Amino acid sequence: MNLTKEKVLSMTVPTPFAVGPVNCFLLKGDALTLVDTGPRTPEAQQELEKQLHSYGVAFEDIDQVVLTHHHPDHIGLVGRMMKNGVNVLGHWKNDRWLQMSDSFLKENEAFMTGIYREAGVPEQYFDHVSDTRGYLAYTDRAKCDRHLSEGDDVPGCSGWTVMETPGHAQSHISLWHKETGMMIAGDHLIKKISSNPLLEPPYVKGTERPKPLLQQRNSYRKTLDAHLQYVYTGHGEPILNPDELIKVRLQKQEERSEKVASFLNRPMTAFEVCQQLFPGVYKKQTGLTLSETIGHLDYLESENVIVKIKEKEKTVYRSRS
Ligand SMILES: [Zn+2]
């Protein structure tokens, strides 16, 4: 085993977001590979360059960037790095977020507006639909040179393969080093916080939307099957007991779903459930808390615990029992 080739070098750069700093990783394989870049801010770039330098690497030396998922705190600098001629690798589901075409941004907002209406959100909170635009300001337009999907080898990084881990983002992949049981997990797994399953529009217009909490649970189970030893994460410290943590995440989701089910002895909209589940927080973080709430409603519906009843514009949910 060539230890230098599989070594993961960590870097931590600041972000302007509530989540705090983000971790990026350097793999010195046959291709000098950066996993995630940090957001597009002068502070993040400066810090990334400084920390690369401490590993004897200049910004311009990087051959390729692998994207764990499309969120700006992870990929913001990729457009800038493309100008240096780096190859960009990621799941094809990143593409619409990297291109950021006006038509897609409009489609995304129309989708979220539809979600808000169906969930019975009062008009005063609809401003939150455009939060995404502000958030996307921390990234440049870019494109993937090569798509990675389930089971692919990561080119130039011997022993590393791709595991699709959707849930937090549709585009999410994790990098798995089977021989040593290591993973670079982006926001799929984080030690101190549970990562939100986030709603996104379907990839084929007019088809059913993805159900992110159900996807996340599947991704968790798939990760358990890999019997990991050590997980590098997108935020905070590495995880030394991944199986234990994943089981806790699954358990906590079930407990929260049970709590949601306990509200539903009368019909309620998703927004009414959201207000009870996240009192205080839902006003400021309407999009995040609504995504999480709808995730639990999707889960309870899939388990046949609740029924979904479509009214005129709104949808209500109630317990089957
Ligand atoms: Zn993320």
Side-chain angles (χ1 to χ4, degrees):
M1 207 188 301
N2 185 336
L3 281 171
T4 53
K5 280 202 169 173
E6 74 192 22
K7 208 167 166 191
V8 178
L9 302 169
S10 307
M11 288 156 291
T12 305
V13 304
T15 81
F17 307 119
V19 69
V22 65
N23 298 324
C24 309
F25 301 95
L26 183 68
L27 297 173
K28 287 183 167 180
D30 294 333
L32 198 52
T33 304
L34 182 68
V35 182
D36 289 344
T37 69
R40 190 194 61 175
T41 66
E43 297 79 18
Q45 183 170 344
Q46 201 180 21
E47 200 50 45
L48 183 65
E49 289 190 30
K50 193 172 121 193
Q51 293 180 39
L52 281 170
H53 190 74
S54 74
Y55 294 127
V57 172
F59 203 50
E60 302 74 38
D61 295 340
I62 303 290
D63 295 313
Q64 58 184 21
V65 178
V66 178
L67 312 175
T68 60
H69 65 299
H70 68 266
H71 293 160
D73 50 338
H74 294 261
I75 66 154
L77 288 168
V78 79
R80 194 152 296 183
M81 298 190 73
M82 282 178 72
K83 289 181 192 139
N84 296 339
V86 297
N87 268 319
V88 182
L89 289 73
H91 198 272
W92 67 266
K93 288 187 174 175
N94 287 295
D95 290 358
R96 60 186 186 177
W97 296 102
L98 293 173
Q99 285 157 3
M100 283 191 284
S101 69
D102 260 356
S103 67
F104 171 64
L105 294 179
K106 278 187 193 139
E107 182 190 326
N108 183 49
E109 289 186 6
F111 167 78
M112 284 312 293
T113 304
I115 294 280
Y116 275 43
R117 284 204 199 294
E118 202 190 335
V121 177
E123 288 289 333
Q124 72 205 81
Y125 298 108
F126 273 57
D127 284 355
H128 286 285
V129 168
S130 52
D131 286 355
T132 314
R133 290 206 185 218
Y135 182 54
L136 289 173
Y138 292 97
T139 188
D140 269 326
R141 287 198 170 84
K143 74 177 202 35
C144 273
D145 297 295
R146 183 163 174 175
H147 288 141
L148 296 174
S149 54
E150 181 74 20
D152 283 351
D153 290 333
V154 181
C157 299
S158 164
W160 290 93
T161 57
V162 173
M163 188 189 283
E164 290 181 355
T165 46
H168 172 68
Q170 294 304 310
S171 59
H172 207 297
I173 58 167
S174 299
L175 307 187
W176 177 27
H177 195 272
K178 197 173 176 180
E179 202 176 342
T180 54
M182 282 195 290
M183 178 175 267
I184 300 176
D187 287 354
H188 166 47
L189 285 171
I190 299 173
K191 187 173 171 181
K192 294 241 167 86
I193 47 169
S194 61
S195 51
N196 293 68
L198 295 173
L199 287 169
E200 287 180 40
Y203 278 80
V204 179
K205 237 182 181 171
T207 59
E208 208 185 353
R209 66 165 169 82
K211 296 184 170 165
L213 189 128
L214 295 178
Q215 291 175 313
Q216 192 177 42
R217 291 177 65 79
N218 283 335
S219 296
Y220 283 159
R221 283 193 212 97
K222 187 158 73 168
T223 312
L224 271 181
D225 289 342
H227 304 294
L228 299 175
Q229 300 296 318
Y230 196 91
V231 177
Y232 293 94
T233 67
H235 304 277
E237 301 155 36
I239 301 166
L240 308 178
N241 53 346
D243 286 5
E244 213 176 294
L245 185 86
I246 295 167
K247 285 178 195 160
V248 170
R249 292 278 179 268
L250 285 164
Q251 172 75 26
K252 293 268 182 215
Q253 281 183 333
E254 285 152 32
E255 285 169 14
R256 189 170 267 175
S257 278
E258 276 167 30
K259 191 173 172 187
V260 169
S262 75
F263 302 153
L264 293 172
N265 41 27
R266 68 172 180 93
M268 286 169 86
T269 63
F271 184 67
E272 286 169 324
V273 174
C274 181
Q275 284 174 297
Q276 291 226 23
L277 201 56
F278 302 104
V281 191
Y282 74 88
K283 288 182 186 167
K284 277 198 169 163
Q285 300 198 339
T286 312
L288 277 181
T289 53
L290 194 63
S291 268
E292 174 86 21
T293 305
I294 291 173
H296 286 283
L297 293 167
D298 286 345
Y299 173 59
L300 289 168
E301 200 196 350
S302 78
E303 296 285 304
N304 274 320
V305 177
I306 60 168
V307 279
K308 188 174 173 177
I309 307 150
K310 278 206 183 293
E311 293 183 343
K312 265 186 214 152
E313 257 209 330
K314 289 186 228 169
T315 293
V316 293
Y317 300 83
R318 71 167 170 75
S319 172
R320 274 188 190 276
S321 53

